[in-house]
Amino acid sequence: MSKDTLDLSRQLNDHYAAVGVGGDRELVARLRDAFREAGHDPDRLTLDVIAGIDQLHLGGRTASRSLATLGFVGPGERVLDVGCGTGGASRLLAAEYGATVTGVDITAAFVEVAAWLSASTGLAERTRFLCADAAVVPLADASFDVVWCQHALMNMPQVPRVLAEWQRLLRPGGKVLLHEVVTGDNPEPLALPVPWARSQTTSHLRSREQLERCLAMAGFVPETLRDVTEAALAWRQTRSDREGGAAVPPVKPSLPGPPLLFGDDFPRMGRNLRDNLAADKVRILEGVWRRSNR
Ligand SMILES: C[S@@+](CC[C@H](N)C(=O)[O-])C[C@H]1O[C@@H](n2cnc3c(N)ncnc32)[C@H](O)[C@@H]1O
């Protein structure tokens, strides 16, 4: 592994595994305890029960279904979920669309959580997870029908290398389905921290035009591209209202949520993201591209 890749991996592992939140305890152990405390057997979970910790993008499962529908993901398709996090979209595509999914992520603790959650929800046979940098994926050429990527390119400094991997890994005519954060028209600095970065070090946002250019240069042909910022902002606003403190305390211990992955400052990250969206510092896109048939 090169020094650059090691540094990147360290930065992201520190950010996403919420170092310091649970002392020395591994993320899986902390999450298993949290499910037990909430009255759920950590080895027999459902997709509904884990939704608070496996959908690490704006819009949750609704946004993933929107992208899957836009890209016509179908039964039997082989999907590569790039920057899969804890594997929520991988499981959704397997459970609801009949796909077979390989998730790749650079954050080792997330890959471990993803494998456990798939086993616990009965989806281990149709989802598998691999810890790797998206710029160097140790998988065979042309072994996927679809590359799926939600809210992950904004963490990646080397997008052209990542897109070259997508070209290699996709079969001719395969699809790229993207749900991404890009810069808006407001050039003021981002309010930080946000869920993907505590400082500029791990934030690598590009404009819509830059992203489109990178995809075109890598040989991908656009089919559909939509700006879904308004829906994302409305979703984030509702979440921030809830995270701001419920008027009535919950009767039962609540289900594990993002603070277990991102740290106790997650509500602040969420409010900053809401404010960045509202001020047009960031926008959200969803789209479909196709690899040429050659
Ligand atoms: C905001 S999370 C989104 C996770 C998931 N796509 C989702 O929507 O639930 C971004 C993910 O991208 C991963 N990531 C960032 N850079 C990466 C890289 N170079 N290679 C692989 N994964 C990466 C992070 O570890 C993190 O899990």
Side-chain angles (χ1 to χ4, degrees):
M1 209 184 256
S2 72
K3 185 181 174 306
D4 284 354
T5 308
L6 263 179
D7 287 348
L8 178 69
S9 165
R10 270 196 206 112
Q11 286 159 3
L12 288 166
N13 273 271
D14 283 358
H15 175 72
Y16 283 112
V19 167
V21 174
D24 288 338
R25 301 199 57 229
E26 306 249 316
L27 183 59
V28 169
R30 283 187 271 139
L31 289 171
R32 288 180 67 90
D33 285 354
F35 278 111
R36 259 189 228 104
E37 278 160 28
H40 295 273
D41 177 350
D43 291 315
R44 289 172 64 86
L45 296 168
T46 65
L47 297 185
D48 288 343
V49 161
I50 65 177
I53 56 153
D54 83 343
Q55 303 291 324
L56 312 183
H57 49 262
L58 289 157
R61 286 182 289 178
T62 304
S64 298
R65 290 185 185 116
S66 167
L67 184 60
T69 304
L70 194 69
F72 298 100
V73 177
E77 285 201 305
R78 300 160 301 168
V79 178
L80 178 69
D81 182 358
V82 177
C84 64
T86 52
S90 301
R91 279 181 293 278
L92 180 134
L93 293 171
E96 298 185 13
Y97 296 84
T100 303
V101 189
T102 302
V104 172
D105 202 286
I106 202 167
T107 301
F110 277 5
V111 172
E112 207 187 334
V113 169
W116 155 56
L117 291 177
S118 278
S120 174
T121 52
L123 287 164
E125 281 182 11
R126 281 187 287 146
T127 55
R128 64 170 177 152
F129 300 97
L130 197 67
C131 188
D133 180 357
V136 194
V137 180
L139 295 171
D141 294 2
S143 52
F144 293 95
D145 304 300
V146 177
V147 166
W148 173 280
C149 186
Q150 285 188 282
H151 290 37
L153 288 180
M154 79 284 173
N155 271 148
M156 301 185 192
Q158 300 173 324
V159 161
R161 278 182 57 191
V162 172
L163 300 187
E165 276 296 74
W166 296 2
Q167 270 287 335
R168 183 183 69 76
L169 291 159
L170 270 179
R171 67 162 170 79
K175 293 169 278 193
V176 170
L177 308 188
L178 264 187
H179 177 213
E180 253 322 306
V181 188
V182 294
T183 54
D185 275 347
N186 182 343
E188 295 291 312
L190 283 187
L192 291 169
V194 285
W196 66 90
R198 287 191 166 76
S199 71
Q200 285 296 341
T201 322
T202 53
S203 186
H204 301 282
L205 289 171
R206 292 155 196 90
S207 67
R208 173 180 175 147
E209 292 71 24
Q210 285 168 331
L211 186 59
E212 287 184 278
R213 212 174 310 128
C214 285
L215 282 152
M217 284 175 69
F220 294 107
V221 179
E223 293 202 338
T224 320
L225 183 56
R226 310 200 286 219
D227 187 317
V228 291
T229 307
E230 211 176 300
L233 173 58
W235 184 89
R236 188 58 249 167
Q237 178 68 59
T238 308
R239 291 287 158 133
S240 286
D241 290 347
R242 271 192 233 157
E243 290 156 7
V248 183
V251 180
K252 292 194 292 185
S254 53
L255 287 168
L260 277 165
L261 308 177
F262 294 89
D264 287 339
D265 54 351
F266 182 77
R268 192 165 146 234
M269 293 175 168
R271 286 194 302 277
N272 284 340
L273 176 50
R274 173 200 63 194
D275 295 346
N276 289 323
L277 286 163
D280 195 22
K281 293 182 187 174
V282 295
R283 289 184 193 163
I284 310 301
L285 303 177
E286 66 171 7
V288 180
W289 284 258
R290 200 171 280 276
R291 184 195 190 286
S292 71
N293 265 317
R294 280 175 288 119

